[in-house]
Amino acid sequence: MEIKSIGVIHSPYKEVGDAPRQGHLSEETFEIEIYPDFLPGLKDIENSSHLVILYWGHQSRRDVLQTKTPFGPEVKGVFACRSPNRPNPVALCVVKLLKVEENRLLVSGLDALEGSPLVDIKPYSSQIDSVEENQES
Amino acid sequence: MEIKSIGVIHSPYKEVGDAPRQGHLSEETFEIEIYPDFLPGLKDIENSSHLVILYWGHQSRRDVLQTKTPFGPEVKGVFACRSPNRPNPVALCVVKLLKVEENRLLVSGLDALEGSPLVDIKPYSSQIDSVEENQES
């Protein structure tokens, strides 16, 4: 399964360690550049206040299955934590859409490093993407 | 950028048209099978009540950039709607984790078709993944 880069993320974070643990902890503005071939896919995107951004963690390790987290000494499986290192480093951020300028989206709330390949954009919907946690299960 | 299948989704939905528009509209139980090579990545996953599942829409079209939706006659960009058809058909569902049986996760709230390749599992966190929409922007 081959992912094609549909654009690129321009970020103030240049290297691993520059970015915050999660995008919602960032106060920076990011520019998401969509490549011209995919521009028709943006039609009506300005109607969304928030977007789900999927990007490729191009500086992530893909051979890590367990890791420590910033929250304690325990070793967790990568599928049980939000480590950027995982077999398929597809990172997910819910961002606020600030402005649309042709093939450029200005957003906040991202944690991507400069040059991260863009995988997908979806309109965020609290009805679809938000749940109450810790329900009895 | 090559995605490797880390598992496979077993679903009661066999063909396009069987699945509901969104996973949260489904009352079915799904079995997510993780391939043995990736089993260590599941350590501590039972601590999460909900998971973000990324899977590959193997029956999706990748050459579609604009489409109608079930909600009206307007044609929208695929990045402005939740169509399964998009350049990189990485689908996203927030599911409820019902049970962990070794390399099998039983979940509800999914919309995947039978045999969908599993791309990634992340623990859902309302702090990370949920926002208030329609804030002034």
Side-chain angles (χ1 to χ4, degrees):
Chain A
M1 298 169 287
E2 177 70 21
I3 293 269
K4 42 189 163 189
S5 180
I6 64 166
V8 61
I9 297 174
H10 298 295
S11 165
Y13 307 129
K14 305 303 179 195
E15 294 176 25
V16 176
D18 290 352
R21 273 203 325 274
Q22 293 296 335
H24 71 97
L25 302 171
S26 167
E27 296 183 352
E28 305 284 351
T29 299
F30 299 77
E31 186 188 276
I32 300 178
E33 176 190 347
I34 289 86
Y35 294 141
D37 282 354
F38 303 100
L39 195 52
L42 291 184
K43 181 175 184 292
D44 291 346
I45 199 152
E46 64 279 4
N47 295 342
S48 294
S49 68
H50 293 80
L51 303 172
V52 177
I53 301 297
L54 300 182
Y55 69 89
W56 189 259
H58 62 306
Q59 297 201 34
S60 295
R61 288 182 56 186
R62 303 187 66 176
D63 59 345
V64 174
L65 287 175
Q66 297 191 342
T67 183
K68 286 189 186 176
T69 73
F71 306 104
E74 307 83 14
V75 170
K76 293 190 171 195
V78 293
F79 304 132
C81 68
R82 299 291 287 240
S83 170
N85 302 314
R86 45 189 58 245
N88 291 309
V90 179
L92 178 166
C93 269
V94 179
V95 305
K96 184 171 182 178
L97 179 59
L98 304 173
K99 197 171 183 185
V100 181
E101 292 175 342
E102 296 193 37
N103 70 325
R104 291 163 194 276
L105 309 180
L106 298 185
V107 307
S108 63
L110 201 50
D111 59 8
L113 296 177
E114 167 63 24
S116 297
L118 182 64
V119 173
D120 197 15
I121 301 172
K122 303 179 195 289
Y124 175 82
S125 160
S126 57
Q127 204 186 356
I128 299 173
D129 302 311
S130 172
V131 296
E132 286 284 325
E133 291 174 280
N134 304 319
Q135 297 164 340
E136 78 293 350
S137 61
Chain B
M1 297 170 288
E2 178 70 21
I3 294 268
K4 41 189 164 191
S5 181
I6 63 167
V8 62
I9 296 174
H10 298 294
S11 165
Y13 308 128
K14 306 302 180 195
E15 294 176 24
V16 176
D18 290 351
R21 275 204 323 275
Q22 294 296 335
H24 70 95
L25 302 171
S26 167
E27 296 182 352
E28 304 285 352
T29 299
F30 299 77
E31 185 188 277
I32 300 177
E33 175 190 347
I34 289 85
Y35 294 141
D37 282 355
F38 302 101
L39 195 51
L42 291 183
K43 181 175 185 290
D44 290 345
I45 199 149
E46 65 278 5
N47 295 342
S48 295
S49 67
H50 292 79
L51 303 172
V52 177
I53 301 297
L54 299 182
Y55 69 89
W56 189 259
H58 62 306
Q59 297 201 34
S60 294
R61 288 182 56 187
R62 303 187 66 177
D63 59 344
V64 174
L65 288 175
Q66 295 191 341
T67 184
K68 287 189 187 177
T69 73
F71 307 104
E74 307 84 14
V75 170
K76 293 190 171 194
V78 292
F79 305 131
C81 68
R82 300 290 288 239
S83 171
N85 301 314
R86 43 188 61 243
N88 292 309
V90 178
L92 178 166
C93 269
V94 178
V95 305
K96 184 171 182 176
L97 179 58
L98 304 173
K99 197 170 183 186
V100 181
E101 292 175 341
E102 297 194 36
N103 70 325
R104 290 165 194 274
L105 309 180
L106 298 185
V107 307
S108 63
L110 201 50
D111 58 8
L113 296 178
E114 167 64 24
S116 296
L118 183 64
V119 173
D120 197 16
I121 302 172
K122 303 179 196 287
Y124 175 82
S125 159
S126 56
Q127 202 186 357
I128 298 173
D129 302 311
S130 172
V131 295
E132 286 285 325
E133 290 175 279
N134 303 320
Q135 295 164 342
E136 77 294 352
S137 62

